[in-house]
Amino acid sequence: MNVTIKDIARLAGVSHTTVSRALNNSPLIKDETKNKIKEIAQQLNYVPNLNAKNLVTDRTFNIGLFFSTLNIGTTPSFFNQTVKGVNSIIKDKYNLIIKGIDDYKDFNLVTSKRFDGIILMSQSEKDNLFIYNVIEKKIPIVVLNREIKCDSIICILTDDRIASKQAVNYLIDNGHKDIAIILGKEGFKSTEKRKQGYLDALMENKIFINNDFIVQGTYDFKSGYTAMEKLLSLPKVPSAVFCSNDDMAIGAMNAAFQMGLKVPDDISIVGFDDNSISQFLNPSLTTVNRHIEDIGREGAKMIIELIENCEANGMIKYMDAELVIRKSVSKNA
Amino acid sequence: MNVTIKDIARLAGVSHTTVSRALNNSPLIKDETKNKIKEIAQQLNYVPNLNAKNLVTDRTFNIGLFFSTLNIGTTPSFFNQTVKGVNSIIKDKYNLIIKGIDDYKDFNLVTSKRFDGIILMSQSEKDNLFIYNVIEKKIPIVVLNREIKCDSIICILTDDRIASKQAVNYLIDNGHKDIAIILGKEGFKSTEKRKQGYLDALMENKIFINNDFIVQGTYDFKSGYTAMEKLLSLPKVPSAVFCSNDDMAIGAMNAAFQMGLKVPDDISIVGFDDNSISQFLNPSLTTVNRHIEDIGREGAKMIIELIENCEANGMIKYMDAELVIRKSVSKNA
DNA sequence: CCATGTTTTGCACACGTTAACAATATATAT
DNA sequence: ATATATATTGTTAACGTGTGCAAAACATGG
């Protein structure tokens, strides 16, 4: 039914091997015949049968983009930016397959026969099991968003600790001392990093660390809302809150509004992530832009490099994050 | 390197044919041998080579989830909900491949050899070229979000026209007469449908249609913002604005705030989509929930049905949408 | 025991492609 | 012209799986 290289061979009066070589631009074939063959292929609308090709070359043209989960904990904006970034680099010839690690019961189906390479947007330490599994099966992998000590792995991430510290320092520079933090989802590495940055800033500025000001969240709106409620019911209310992501910052903002407080006049808020929505909030949100899309793009470039050229040196690449100053922070006397 | 059915055959003392049949649960094979073989396969951690399998059965286990574009016009929340819905149904055995139609220069690479089936989240009439291409190549397809007249196609969508009408009626019920609309991106079918619903509601209630109250947008925040600015600079300002999606509603809200107006006291706003964020806005946004995730789920079920059982009857399935009443609309005297 | 029918297994080829090696054509040097 | 090197093409097998058909094993009835 479908046109194969043998059909082309017949029409061109050559062997199918020659056709195969011609279409793959082998230097063995004379330019003249090459062109003739390519022309016929074009005319016949020939599309190579990937299954056959992959069977013998032992490749798929699949690149897996894995998230720790596609459910709670992965915000739409974060997800979307990652996919966009990766997809913008993946060429036609690769398929981008999106999966949550938690979609699998076991990892039997994650094999080099299924994926040429894997990009993991890693959000939790629990992913390590998956990572080691992938490495053991010799599938090229690039890990985004988390640092893996193993030195054969390529990791691409922002230094959340430094970025958080920067954000909190900005609050301190504006005269704030009673600074609270709403933490991210427990177990996520990013949660810990951002907390560290917060602590670093306070400690370097010799500000007393008040444990009441450290409240757990889960990275979603609602948890930001309830966390803020908790903070506002304290005997001593903080003058500024650093939220471990923008979604929670929005939740926190609304809790403040609900209590009749004004942002930033009564309480300042800083977020983390720079969701596409954050600039349109009221007040617009001061936050940290991690350039997730860039990270995705970089990861995609790396994995293709890894697949096609087998450059296997592990490395940790830090991408720049940037504090975006808007209007949710006020000067504190 | 990898274990094949021949390896299993050797260990079981049978031919590879028997192994193949046993693992595929052929009724030809005695249960006893079947079990023995399966056990060995298990032990050896056998994973079938998809390329080989697909080559002979002429299948892939790929399901393509296509969007009109992965860039501007597809909001993070919408994208995320769709993927989540589809992914929750796709079983381990299928790969979910995500693509933007505009990623392709031509459709040569979209063949039945690449995709067992395609789910298209269609946002624009321009997709029709793609759709006909897919049909011509006899690839099973399910279209989400848009109605295609061709009667061999399965479409799943909400009736945006009715839902919009309902939303605008709600404004009218609350005493509003000067109701504006911010349109979606030009060329998108949804844009038109929602406009129709808006017009339906006005006409049925014999409210004069003011062309100044109909303003173009592009479905993103910014366009909502500028559209609202335009509306607020009119000699006669509307008392309520129906926004064709939530993102624009948020932009519009902020434009109102910027002008010193209060929502809903000075102006009422209704959105469309029920973004995950909308309930946390201040004021929380009255909007239409289209249950995108359900649509994705339904689409996934359909395409699998289509692939595995070849039920080829076209149909148009409408899913329920629901007006979610929150706090962005006030009673108008 | 044989003849016949039924259940279970194996042989051999096919799927469309690549690649090692052999074979041929062409160019170059003597 | 001949020998040798080089460029170009063809022959053949292989990748791992499924399947039509032939073969073998087993069961049944006489």
Side-chain angles (χ1 to χ4, degrees):
Chain A
M1 199 64 212
N2 256 295
V3 37
T4 74
I5 52 172
K6 289 187 180 171
D7 300 324
I8 300 177
R10 209 172 307 118
L11 264 95
V14 298
S15 75
H16 73 277
T17 307
T18 304
V19 175
S20 170
R21 292 205 177 101
L23 295 178
N24 287 320
N25 252 319
S26 156
L28 292 178
I29 305 296
K30 220 195 320 185
D31 280 350
E32 190 188 339
T33 35
K34 227 186 241 184
N35 290 332
K36 186 175 67 178
I37 289 173
K38 281 184 180 173
E39 194 146 334
I40 298 180
Q42 178 86 39
Q43 210 122 38
L44 263 52
N45 239 311
Y46 168 76
V47 180
N49 182 317
L50 274 196
N51 287 322
K53 186 170 193 151
N54 296 346
L55 175 58
V56 46
T57 57
D58 201 22
R59 291 193 53 189
T60 79
F61 280 84
N62 295 336
I63 290 182
L65 174 56
F66 283 72
F67 290 79
S68 300
T69 174
L70 290 183
N71 303 309
I72 200 154
T74 302
T75 67
S77 172
F78 181 79
F79 177 69
N80 188 237
Q81 286 180 66
T82 310
V83 175
K84 269 169 75 169
V86 171
N87 187 66
S88 73
I89 298 297
I90 299 293
K91 296 162 204 145
D92 270 5
K93 69 171 174 171
Y94 286 101
N95 282 326
L96 180 59
I97 295 181
I98 295 191
K99 287 276 183 193
I101 291 182
D102 57 355
D103 290 340
Y104 289 100
K105 286 151 215 40
D106 60 67
F107 300 143
N108 273 344
L109 292 177
V110 182
T111 71
S112 59
K113 296 251 182 294
R114 299 289 225 274
F115 299 98
D116 279 357
I118 287 178
I119 301 174
L120 170 62
M121 176 54 87
S122 184
Q123 299 157 276
S124 158
E125 292 224 326
K126 288 189 201 143
D127 298 347
N128 287 2
L129 193 63
F130 175 80
I131 296 174
Y132 294 134
N133 189 279
V134 169
I135 293 176
E136 200 180 349
K137 288 175 180 164
K138 303 208 191 302
I139 311 174
I141 185 172
V142 170
V143 175
L144 310 183
N145 205 36
R146 264 184 72 232
E147 203 172 323
I148 313 290
K149 35 254 155 199
C150 170
D151 59 16
S152 67
I153 302 187
I154 295 180
C155 301
I156 303 172
L157 66 161
T158 54
D159 192 327
D160 282 11
R161 185 168 176 173
I162 289 179
S164 301
K165 180 174 150 190
Q166 208 178 329
V168 175
N169 270 333
Y170 173 71
L171 288 172
I172 295 172
D173 290 347
N174 274 279
H176 292 277
K177 294 208 152 123
D178 299 320
I179 304 174
I181 181 174
I182 300 179
L183 304 172
K185 188 170 162 124
E186 214 164 353
F188 278 28
K189 193 73 184 180
S190 58
T191 300
E192 207 178 315
K193 288 274 191 168
R194 293 170 200 183
K195 179 180 178 185
Q196 288 288 353
Y198 162 81
L199 294 175
D200 288 351
L202 295 191
M203 280 161 64
E204 278 186 20
N205 287 279
K206 307 211 169 64
I207 295 177
F208 175 71
I209 292 168
N210 181 345
N211 273 319
D212 288 346
F213 282 177
I214 302 180
V215 188
Q216 192 68 50
T218 60
Y219 276 139
D220 58 18
F221 299 111
K222 194 163 205 106
S223 73
Y225 191 97
T226 45
M228 188 57 143
E229 281 183 326
K230 208 177 284 179
L231 287 171
L232 294 178
S233 68
L234 289 175
K236 168 146 198 177
V237 172
S239 73
V241 180
F242 169 59
C243 304
S244 297
N245 77 349
D246 280 8
D247 281 5
M248 294 197 299
I250 294 169
M253 235 154 115
N254 279 300
F257 291 148
Q258 210 59 36
M259 298 285 218
L261 298 180
K262 285 192 168 179
V263 177
D265 304 351
D266 300 321
I267 192 165
S268 294
I269 292 185
V270 171
F272 202 100
D273 272 355
D274 198 19
N275 276 4
S276 51
I277 198 182
S278 301
Q279 58 181 308
F280 294 98
L281 294 173
N282 185 36
S284 59
L285 185 66
T286 294
T287 185
V288 175
N289 187 328
R290 290 200 291 151
H291 305 303
I292 300 292
E293 206 174 320
D294 285 346
I295 293 183
R297 242 191 301 274
E298 195 63 24
K301 279 183 202 155
M302 290 283 194
I303 199 69
I304 290 178
E305 180 69 18
L306 220 54
I307 292 170
E308 297 183 351
N309 302 326
C310 283
E311 295 273 343
N313 316 330
M315 56 176 281
I316 294 184
K317 175 161 191 174
Y318 287 102
M319 306 278 287
D320 283 339
E322 149 195 33
L323 183 66
V324 183
I325 295 173
R326 299 211 181 92
K327 308 207 161 147
S328 60
V329 173
S330 68
K331 283 227 178 286
N332 201 29
Chain B
M1 198 64 210
N2 256 296
V3 37
T4 75
I5 52 171
K6 289 186 183 172
D7 299 325
I8 300 177
R10 210 171 308 117
L11 264 91
V14 297
S15 74
H16 76 277
T17 308
T18 304
V19 175
S20 171
R21 292 206 176 101
L23 294 177
N24 287 321
N25 253 319
S26 156
L28 292 178
I29 304 297
K30 220 195 319 185
D31 280 352
E32 191 189 341
T33 35
K34 227 186 237 182
N35 290 333
K36 186 175 68 179
I37 289 173
K38 282 184 179 171
E39 194 147 333
I40 297 180
Q42 179 86 37
Q43 210 123 37
L44 262 52
N45 240 310
Y46 168 75
V47 180
N49 181 318
L50 274 197
N51 286 323
K53 187 169 194 151
N54 296 346
L55 174 58
V56 44
T57 57
D58 202 20
R59 292 194 52 190
T60 79
F61 281 84
N62 295 335
I63 290 182
L65 174 57
F66 283 72
F67 290 79
S68 300
T69 172
L70 289 183
N71 303 309
I72 201 155
T74 302
T75 66
S77 172
F78 182 78
F79 177 68
N80 188 236
Q81 286 179 65
T82 310
V83 175
K84 268 169 75 170
V86 172
N87 187 67
S88 73
I89 299 296
I90 299 293
K91 295 161 205 146
D92 271 6
K93 67 172 176 172
Y94 287 100
N95 282 326
L96 181 60
I97 295 181
I98 295 192
K99 286 275 184 196
I101 291 182
D102 59 353
D103 290 340
Y104 288 100
K105 286 147 214 42
D106 59 67
F107 299 144
N108 272 344
L109 291 177
V110 181
T111 71
S112 59
K113 295 253 184 295
R114 300 290 228 270
F115 298 99
D116 279 356
I118 287 179
I119 300 173
L120 170 62
M121 176 54 86
S122 184
Q123 299 157 275
S124 159
E125 291 225 326
K126 287 189 202 143
D127 298 348
N128 287 2
L129 193 64
F130 175 79
I131 295 175
Y132 293 134
N133 188 280
V134 168
I135 292 176
E136 199 181 350
K137 288 176 179 162
K138 301 207 193 303
I139 311 174
I141 184 172
V142 170
V143 175
L144 309 184
N145 206 36
R146 264 184 70 233
E147 204 171 322
I148 312 292
K149 36 254 156 199
C150 169
D151 60 15
S152 68
I153 303 187
I154 295 181
C155 300
I156 303 172
L157 66 160
T158 54
D159 192 326
D160 282 11
R161 185 167 176 174
I162 289 181
S164 301
K165 182 175 149 190
Q166 208 177 328
V168 176
N169 270 335
Y170 174 71
L171 288 171
I172 295 173
D173 290 347
N174 274 278
H176 293 277
K177 295 209 153 121
D178 299 322
I179 304 176
I181 181 174
I182 300 179
L183 302 173
K185 188 169 163 127
E186 214 166 353
F188 278 28
K189 193 72 183 178
S190 59
T191 300
E192 208 178 313
K193 289 276 190 167
R194 293 170 201 183
K195 181 181 178 185
Q196 289 288 354
Y198 163 81
L199 295 175
D200 288 350
L202 294 191
M203 281 162 63
E204 278 187 19
N205 288 278
K206 306 211 167 65
I207 294 176
F208 175 71
I209 292 169
N210 180 347
N211 273 320
D212 288 347
F213 282 176
I214 302 180
V215 188
Q216 192 67 52
T218 59
Y219 277 140
D220 58 19
F221 299 110
K222 195 161 205 111
S223 73
Y225 191 97
T226 46
M228 188 56 144
E229 282 183 325
K230 209 176 284 177
L231 287 171
L232 293 179
S233 68
L234 289 174
K236 168 147 195 174
V237 171
S239 73
V241 180
F242 170 59
C243 304
S244 296
N245 77 350
D246 280 8
D247 281 6
M248 294 196 300
I250 294 168
M253 234 153 113
N254 280 299
F257 292 148
Q258 210 60 36
M259 299 285 217
L261 298 180
K262 284 192 169 180
V263 178
D265 304 351
D266 299 321
I267 190 164
S268 294
I269 291 185
V270 171
F272 202 101
D273 272 355
D274 198 20
N275 275 4
S276 51
I277 199 181
S278 301
Q279 59 180 309
F280 294 98
L281 294 172
N282 185 37
S284 60
L285 186 67
T286 292
T287 184
V288 175
N289 187 328
R290 290 200 290 151
H291 304 304
I292 300 291
E293 206 173 321
D294 284 345
I295 293 182
R297 243 191 300 272
E298 196 62 25
K301 279 182 201 157
M302 289 284 195
I303 198 69
I304 290 178
E305 181 68 19
L306 220 54
I307 293 171
E308 297 183 350
N309 302 328
C310 285
E311 296 273 344
N313 315 329
M315 56 175 280
I316 293 184
K317 175 161 191 173
Y318 287 103
M319 306 278 288
D320 284 338
E322 149 195 33
L323 182 66
V324 183
I325 295 174
R326 299 210 181 92
K327 310 207 161 147
S328 60
V329 173
S330 68
K331 282 227 178 285
N332 202 26

